[in-house]
Amino acid sequence: MRSIRRYLAILLLSTICLANFLAALTGYQKGMEEGNEILDRELSEESAFLANMLTQGVALPQNYTDENYLFRLWQSNAGRDWAESETVFSLAIGEPGYHWLSFRGERWRVLTVNENDHTILVGRRDARYRHIIEQMIIESILPIIWMLPLLGIIIWVIVSYGLAPLKSLAKLLQSRNAANLQPFPLRGYPKEMTVVVSAINVLMLRLDDAFNREQQLTADAAHELRTPLTALKLHLYNLKSELQLDNDNISATEAAVLRMENSIEQILALHRLTPEKLVRESELIDLTALIKQVIVDLYPAVENKQQTIELLAEDVTVKGDHFALQTLVKNLIDNAIKYAPEAGSISVHLQRVGKLVSLSVEDSGPGIPVAERERAFDRFYRVGGDRHPSKVVGSGLGLAIVKQIVQLHKGEVTLGQSAELHGLKITVNLPEAK
């Protein structure tokens, strides 16, 4: 997209150049007209002088003419020239009045006057006056041409100053986030920008209203969806206990309820993770302590599958949102617990690598094929679909949430194969807190 400042600077400078060119052209035409008038007056004065000299019978002074001037005096009664400048004898006497003619390869302005029994012809070389006029115009234009670079700088500064309110408004817009959508004050802006600022204020109010409705919807959804699911789980448990039923239909229903509950929790977690929230709630976090607490919370699931989990961690601190990082670690370890087999192994490593903090979670599960590792981060995508050989209930949002949290913390996440456990290895690199 082109720069408004550059566009205005080039346009104004081009306009100045064009205006000066037109002014020079007009001045040249006007100068030539005035030069012709001066030339005609000189010729008239010359012819009057010669007529006076002829009447008084006074001889013309020597060297009266020069290369820019010619004359010829013709006496009609004598049928001969009374006086003439050198080499003018070939110049024919024309009709009375002013004429343009070509003589000696140049353009001349000639005046012919009939006085009683004699005819006077005087002429001036046109190039002399034209050269003077052209020189005057060039001398008047050259300073402007020399001033063009300075004019360009001045125009650039003026345009920049004129666009300063727009730049200031852009900085204010960049500093705003979802937590601050208050309208901008209309004072301090040019009239042309007041309309823009007013429109932005209307948009701000609409966005603020939309965010408030969205937050309210999230809170309502969290309450309205969790409550019936909890009740449904309780009723299924009571029904199974009272009727002493343990068939595939009840198990499938329980699995569907668990999957629905997991999907709702993941969607709500995904909704809460926004850049604005991260900036607003960012803090220094002891990542080692956070990982230990998540392992403690998930340890019953580890015992239930008779798995072993190993933690090798250095004491490191990162800056970020506590809820987001807790969700990140929980998803990684929970994913390893789900897909590692009965009596399988899980390994968690946390260490410094240069200026980064590297967290890797490995398991002894089936892993993810190389061809599907990129798609594994897509929302609602599950390797193998709903018929995954592990029979694990999932929503396909776990790794999508992990990737979003990592990106919000300006890190990177990669999938690979564990060299020791031969299952999936997920590595997350985050900037270490300074």
Side-chain angles (χ1 to χ4, degrees):
M1 180 172 290
R2 64 184 181 183
S3 168
I4 296 178
R5 178 169 53 184
R6 187 181 297 109
Y7 171 76
L8 289 177
I10 294 175
L11 180 63
L12 290 174
L13 197 60
S14 301
T15 303
I16 291 175
C17 292
L18 179 61
N20 279 284
F21 172 76
L22 294 176
L25 181 61
T26 304
Y28 178 78
Q29 294 175 343
K30 187 69 175 177
M32 292 306 300
E33 292 176 359
E34 293 179 356
N36 290 336
E37 292 177 2
I38 294 173
L39 183 58
D40 289 348
R41 285 197 298 269
E42 283 192 0
L43 293 175
S44 178
E45 292 173 357
E46 292 288 346
S47 66
F49 173 76
L50 291 176
N52 185 47
M53 297 287 287
L54 182 62
T55 302
Q56 296 179 4
V58 179
L60 293 175
Q62 294 182 352
N63 301 325
Y64 177 69
T65 60
D66 56 35
E67 61 180 2
N68 297 310
Y69 175 67
L70 60 82
F71 72 94
R72 185 177 186 185
L73 304 179
W74 177 267
Q75 288 182 308
S76 301
N77 55 6
R80 62 181 178 83
D81 289 328
W82 179 73
E84 64 178 353
S85 55
E86 296 180 3
T87 69
V88 185
F89 58 86
S90 61
L91 187 62
I93 301 296
E95 294 293 327
Y98 293 98
H99 306 282
W100 290 104
L101 57 86
S102 178
F103 181 65
R104 291 188 294 193
E106 294 186 84
R107 192 167 182 255
W108 294 73
R109 183 68 168 171
V110 176
L111 172 62
T112 303
V113 178
N114 291 327
E115 292 283 346
N116 299 326
D117 61 344
H118 60 268
T119 301
I120 301 174
L121 182 148
V122 291
R124 288 281 182 180
R125 191 160 60 97
D126 178 61
R128 177 190 174 213
Y129 292 89
R130 187 178 299 274
H131 174 72
I132 294 174
I133 294 171
E134 290 176 351
Q135 190 66 28
M136 291 173 58
I137 293 175
I138 291 175
E139 289 178 356
S140 64
I141 293 177
L142 280 180
I144 299 176
I145 296 176
W146 295 335
M147 287 289 290
L148 283 179
L150 180 60
L151 283 174
I153 295 173
I154 293 174
I155 291 173
W156 185 269
V157 172
I158 292 174
V159 172
S160 299
Y161 179 78
L163 294 177
L166 186 61
K167 189 175 182 179
S168 176
L169 178 61
K171 289 183 178 179
L172 287 175
L173 285 171
Q174 290 175 352
S175 66
R176 294 296 182 91
N177 52 47
N180 182 14
L181 294 175
Q182 296 301 314
F184 294 105
L186 295 178
R187 295 180 180 179
Y189 292 102
K191 291 182 180 180
E192 293 79 5
M193 285 190 61
T194 303
V195 179
V196 178
V197 177
S198 299
I200 292 175
N201 287 340
V202 172
L203 179 61
M204 287 285 193
L205 293 175
R206 292 178 180 174
L207 286 174
D208 188 51
D209 183 58
F211 280 131
N212 289 333
R213 288 200 307 269
E214 187 177 3
Q215 291 176 358
Q216 187 63 41
L217 175 63
T218 303
D220 294 342
H223 178 269
E224 295 298 328
L225 293 175
R226 286 170 178 163
T227 302
L229 281 176
T230 303
L232 183 58
K233 288 170 62 178
L234 180 61
H235 291 319
L236 281 174
Y237 177 79
N238 292 334
L239 182 63
K240 187 176 180 179
S241 300
E242 290 177 5
L243 300 179
Q244 296 183 352
L245 296 175
D246 191 13
N247 56 33
D248 294 339
N249 291 332
I250 295 293
S251 299
T253 304
E254 287 179 331
V257 172
L258 287 174
R259 180 176 181 179
M260 187 183 299
E261 183 180 36
N262 181 64
S263 297
I264 291 172
E265 292 295 335
Q266 296 281 44
I267 291 173
L268 293 176
L270 193 62
H271 177 77
R272 288 183 59 185
L273 300 175
T274 61
E276 292 79 12
K277 181 180 183 298
L278 180 65
V279 173
R280 187 172 61 252
E281 301 183 7
S282 183
E283 58 181 331
L284 293 176
I285 297 172
D286 185 347
L287 190 57
T288 307
L290 186 147
I291 294 173
K292 290 179 180 179
Q293 184 59 49
V294 171
I295 291 176
V296 170
D297 295 338
L298 296 177
Y299 197 74
V302 175
E303 285 188 324
N304 187 45
K305 296 183 69 173
Q306 298 179 354
Q307 296 170 337
T308 59
I309 184 168
E310 177 188 27
L311 173 63
L312 298 175
E314 300 178 14
D315 292 331
V316 296
T317 303
V318 296
K319 188 174 183 180
D321 178 73
H322 186 275
F323 169 78
L325 291 175
Q326 185 181 43
T327 303
L328 167 68
V329 176
K330 182 180 178 181
N331 278 354
L332 292 178
I333 298 178
D334 185 58
N335 190 72
I337 294 172
K338 287 180 179 179
Y339 290 97
E342 296 282 343
S345 300
I346 301 169
S347 178
V348 181
H349 293 264
L350 179 64
Q351 59 184 342
R352 292 184 182 87
V353 179
K355 296 182 180 180
L356 299 176
V357 173
S358 179
L359 169 63
S360 62
V361 179
E362 306 175 38
D363 62 68
S364 57
I368 297 178
V370 176
E372 297 192 64
R373 286 176 185 170
E374 282 298 323
R375 293 201 61 192
F377 291 107
D378 295 342
R379 294 183 181 184
F380 303 106
Y381 178 79
R382 297 194 69 209
V383 178
D386 292 334
R387 297 182 180 181
H388 195 275
S390 64
K391 305 298 182 182
V392 174
V393 176
S395 60
L397 285 172
L399 289 180
I401 293 176
V402 167
K403 184 176 182 179
Q404 180 171 342
I405 295 173
V406 172
Q407 289 176 341
L408 290 176
H409 287 79
K410 299 180 180 180
E412 60 179 10
V413 56
T414 57
L415 301 181
Q417 184 175 5
S418 173
E420 296 181 1
L421 304 181
H422 308 292
L424 179 65
K425 178 181 180 180
I426 303 179
T427 302
V428 174
N429 292 322
L430 299 174
E432 184 178 9
K434 297 180 181 179

